[in-house]
Amino acid sequence: MVTPGVFAGGIVLLAVALGCAAYAGWVAWQRVVPGATGLDGFVAWAVLATAALIAEHLVPLALGLLSRPAVVAASLAVAALARWQRPRTPRPAPLPPATDEPGSRAVRVVAAIAVALAGGAALAYLRQQAGQPIVSSDALNFQLPQVARWIDSGSMWQLDQFFPDYSNATYPQHGNVLLLAVVLPFHSAFLARLVPAAYGVAACLAVAAGARELGTPRAWAALAAALFAAIPVLAKVAIDGANTDTPMTFAFMAGALFLLRHRRTHARGDLVLAGVALGIALGTKWYALTTLPPLVAVWALARLAARTPWRRVAAETAAVTAVAVLVGGIWLVRNTVEASNPLFPQPLGPFPAPPDPIRAAAGWNLAHYLFDGEVWRRYLLPQFDAFFAAPGYVLFAGGLAAIAAAAWRRALVPAAAGLAALALVAGYGVVTYGAFGPEGAPVLAFASTRYALPALAVGACGLAWAASRLPSPAQVVIASALGVAVLQGLRAEYRPGLPLWQIAAAASIVAAAVAVSRRVPPRVLAGAALVLAVAGAGITANRLDGRSYAAADPVLGWIDARAPSGHRVGLAGIWGVSGVSPVLPAFGPRLGNRVEYAGPFVAHMLRRYDDPARFTARLRARRYDLLVVGRGHGVAPEEAWARAAGYAPVVSSPGLALLRRRAPG
């Protein structure tokens, strides 16, 4: 429960952190890319403000001093540092020609309807979900528990793993730092869902900016953004939980935008901003390692094809890479220090890695099944239909469309964008866990469809440019078909859970907001956004008040009601990915419990005990007040071992058992 006093104090702390980051981002934007205006300017500001927000929390975390006062001090220091920088006078550079050809009015109508419906459906769904506890397995198993552990320990210099045989503790965690920014002020995760939602919107705007930079008319750029927004998997990672894929996708697309912009401006600031954005992506998700290299490689090749001297291309590529590593490489350092391998648990040259049984058994990629029609028919296509739907399938073809149109028009830059989209699709095809599941049965491939979002974002830009180069009648036909694809994607994701009247009402709000925003000064918009954000936070806190995970499992309900804070909670056994994970609920509603998995780290990988004597010794040494045992496919051996060690059963369900340490005597 977040009381009014806690909410008010938390809002003040959050406002300090966000306000200082926003101010620092604005000053840096004016200095680094003074010519970036409109969508480019928004993306530039969002990247730099995000970097500032991460720094405000990451510096205290790296120093082992994380606390609310430390974040306030770091935020004020960031703002003061920005204050010393005098903004340059903006020197806007015009966009490439993007004429409205005959027939574009019809395209504008389709685009306006598509944007309103995509935004309205997402807004209505967010309103519905914001009052519900988060149930995403990733958010409950490691992302929010990692935030809770940081708050408890004040440091990032440890491996915080809560599920055996995985290595979530060594993931890049810039995204978790962004979650920390909204959790720390309240010691509650009630606002965590709004972080990926905000970055989902930013990612769509970055797609529109990328399309405009290619020379695409506004209507087609808007339609590209709507098509990207209508992909079901984007909505799932942006709204359904506290996932960090949308910050990664936004940062990736922002990096692509400023690499693309550099070919026009030749400004050093565009390279710096591209490096910062790509560094945020690198520090957020492992699959950045299969998306950033193809993007930078295609950009460098395009520069060479444009007859840029190779020494200059090499120097610029090295500069972008260096900035990216500087911004995102802290987690590689953490992994080297704590796990003796920057890419743990992946072996890398002289850096060791232990056996990874889950990767060996289920970490297949899509290329493994490239010519296996039966696997595609039975497993992959049904999952892709649900998570990509028509918008995703269309955007997969965006790279081919861009290359074909660019060959016809003899346009180098759009051809490079199309090639980048195809390279990113290939990267998705070879990424580990792309076909997650036992060999021959990738039943969890849906969980990895989010890895394709960077490819689909670039494909959206390429498709919009290609379609805008068609004759006017063909443009109207293609735009109408894409509008239907948007509707199909929205239907696949949001219906029948959302009534049509709610979508229509929210779409009207989105349309009105877009219309008003084009006539209101940016500072007024920022003030209105701040008021709405505070109101939305209050409404979310009120709707979540009194709700818990009790409906999901009686074990979790017991902890919430009777052990909300001040307890040592051990975890043991395993639990399925389909139910509600017990990890975050074990911390309590205000994250006041100390939670750890009762298992050994073997070569830096968390394992289960296979020996009752060692497990019993762990229980005696740690003196857990409560022990939550995941029963997996039956009663786990740890449950019997705990009973023999003096732990008494409290409450159980088919998936979990809760035991309590008996008082001495």
Side-chain angles (χ1 to χ4, degrees):
M1 177 178 179
V2 179
T3 64
V6 170
F7 178 79
I11 282 293
V12 171
L13 293 172
L14 181 60
V16 170
L18 294 182
C20 290
Y23 174 74
W26 180 81
V27 173
W29 159 36
Q30 297 300 312
R31 281 195 60 81
V32 176
V33 280
T37 59
L39 282 176
D40 286 6
F42 168 79
V43 174
W45 168 80
V47 167
L48 295 167
T50 297
L53 186 62
I54 290 172
E56 291 171 359
H57 295 79
L58 190 56
V59 171
L61 197 58
L63 295 175
L65 300 174
L66 179 71
S67 65
R68 284 180 282 199
V71 169
V72 169
S75 300
L76 295 175
V78 165
L81 183 63
R83 177 70 177 170
W84 292 342
Q85 306 298 316
R86 179 176 296 177
R88 296 177 182 176
T89 302
R91 296 185 298 276
L95 278 172
T99 58
D100 289 332
E101 299 175 1
S104 63
R105 177 173 296 178
V107 177
R108 288 199 296 269
V109 171
V110 172
I113 294 173
V115 168
L117 288 175
L123 180 62
Y125 187 60
L126 179 61
R127 175 186 174 276
Q128 181 188 82
Q129 293 297 109
Q132 304 296 325
I134 293 170
V135 296
S136 163
S137 61
D138 282 359
L140 298 189
N141 267 333
F142 66 91
Q143 285 170 326
L144 291 172
Q146 177 65 83
V147 170
R149 179 57 62 80
W150 283 341
I151 293 174
D152 178 52
S153 70
S155 174
M156 59 179 278
W157 301 104
Q158 66 267 331
L159 295 181
D160 298 317
Q161 184 66 40
F162 302 95
F163 194 85
D165 296 329
Y166 279 88
S167 57
N168 312 121
T170 56
Y171 280 13
Q173 293 174 354
H174 275 356
N176 291 352
V177 174
L178 295 174
L179 296 176
L180 174 67
V182 301
V183 173
L184 178 64
F186 310 94
H187 280 209
S188 171
F190 75 96
L191 287 181
R193 192 190 302 272
L194 301 185
V195 173
Y199 280 98
V201 174
C204 293
L205 293 176
V207 167
R212 286 289 290 153
E213 185 62 37
L214 283 176
T216 305
R218 287 185 177 86
W220 278 107
L223 187 52
L227 201 62
F228 184 68
I231 303 171
V233 68
L234 180 68
K236 293 182 188 301
V237 299
I239 302 174
D240 275 354
N243 297 303
T244 57
D245 297 270
T246 52
M248 188 276 179
T249 303
F250 162 71
F252 169 85
M253 196 58 217
L257 167 66
F258 284 96
L259 286 179
L260 184 62
R261 193 173 182 272
H262 176 262
R263 114 293 181 186
R264 175 170 57 90
T265 66
H266 304 290
R268 183 180 302 172
D270 286 313
L271 287 182
V272 171
L273 194 53
V276 172
L278 296 181
I280 294 173
L282 175 66
T284 301
K285 283 294 189 182
W286 273 140
Y287 61 89
L289 296 177
T290 58
T291 54
L292 303 191
L295 175 70
V296 175
V298 170
W299 170 75
L301 289 174
R303 298 276 289 150
L304 291 173
R307 298 187 178 182
T308 305
W310 71 266
R311 286 187 175 85
R312 181 176 177 183
V313 173
E316 291 171 345
T317 303
V320 170
T321 303
V323 173
V325 172
L326 181 65
V327 171
I330 182 64
W331 306 110
L332 305 182
V333 175
R334 188 275 315 271
N335 291 350
T336 304
V337 172
E338 298 295 330
S340 303
N341 182 344
L343 298 184
F344 189 90
Q346 180 66 40
L348 177 66
F351 299 105
D356 191 341
I358 294 179
R359 182 189 295 259
W364 306 101
N365 56 36
L366 292 172
H368 183 70
Y369 300 111
L370 186 58
F371 301 108
D372 194 330
E374 180 65 13
V375 167
W376 281 86
R377 183 184 65 81
R378 290 189 59 189
Y379 296 103
L380 295 177
L381 288 179
Q383 295 178 73
F384 289 172
D385 289 345
F387 282 74
F388 291 135
Y393 288 138
V394 168
L395 295 185
F396 272 124
L400 289 173
I403 290 174
W408 175 39
R409 292 274 186 152
R410 296 183 179 180
L412 173 62
V413 175
L419 180 60
L422 294 184
L424 292 167
V425 171
Y428 171 54
V430 300
V431 68
T432 304
Y433 294 111
F436 196 4
E439 186 170 18
V443 293
L444 298 176
F446 68 88
S448 304
T449 51
R450 55 208 163 109
Y451 300 166
L453 286 174
L456 298 176
V458 177
C461 298
L463 179 65
W465 180 86
S468 71
R469 267 48 190 176
L470 293 172
S472 297
Q475 286 193 39
V476 175
V477 172
I478 296 297
S480 301
L482 295 182
V484 172
V486 169
L487 292 177
Q488 194 276 334
L490 298 179
R491 183 177 183 275
E493 176 57 20
Y494 300 112
R495 292 283 294 158
L498 280 178
L500 287 175
W501 72 267
Q502 290 187 10
I503 296 177
S508 300
I509 293 173
V510 170
V514 171
V516 169
S517 68
R518 299 181 66 178
R519 297 173 174 82
V520 175
R523 292 185 179 181
V524 176
L525 283 177
L530 178 61
V531 172
L532 290 174
V534 173
I539 292 170
T540 301
N542 183 64
R543 293 184 66 192
L544 275 171
D545 189 24
R547 297 193 180 190
S548 72
Y549 292 98
D553 195 288
V555 168
L556 307 183
W558 195 98
I559 293 174
D560 186 79
R562 303 188 186 185
S565 181
H567 293 267
R568 292 184 61 86
V569 182
L571 304 171
I574 57 172
W575 42 92
V577 296
S578 58
V580 175
S581 162
V583 182
L584 181 65
F587 279 91
R590 295 291 308 284
L591 310 180
N593 291 327
R594 178 164 294 184
V595 181
E596 69 177 34
Y597 189 89
F601 275 90
V602 179
H604 310 295
M605 181 79 81
L606 182 65
R607 308 294 190 186
R608 294 173 71 182
Y609 283 111
D610 56 7
D611 176 19
R614 296 177 63 203
F615 181 75
T616 300
R618 175 65 173 264
L619 297 185
R620 290 173 178 167
R622 298 294 190 178
R623 299 177 60 82
Y624 302 118
D625 302 314
L626 299 169
L627 184 69
V628 179
V629 181
R631 288 178 160 179
H633 302 293
V635 177
E638 291 94 335
E639 186 175 347
W641 299 344
R643 290 189 182 191
Y647 278 73
V650 177
V651 63
S652 65
S653 68
L656 298 173
L658 179 67
L659 300 95
R660 178 167 46 191
R661 181 168 56 88
R662 290 191 180 98

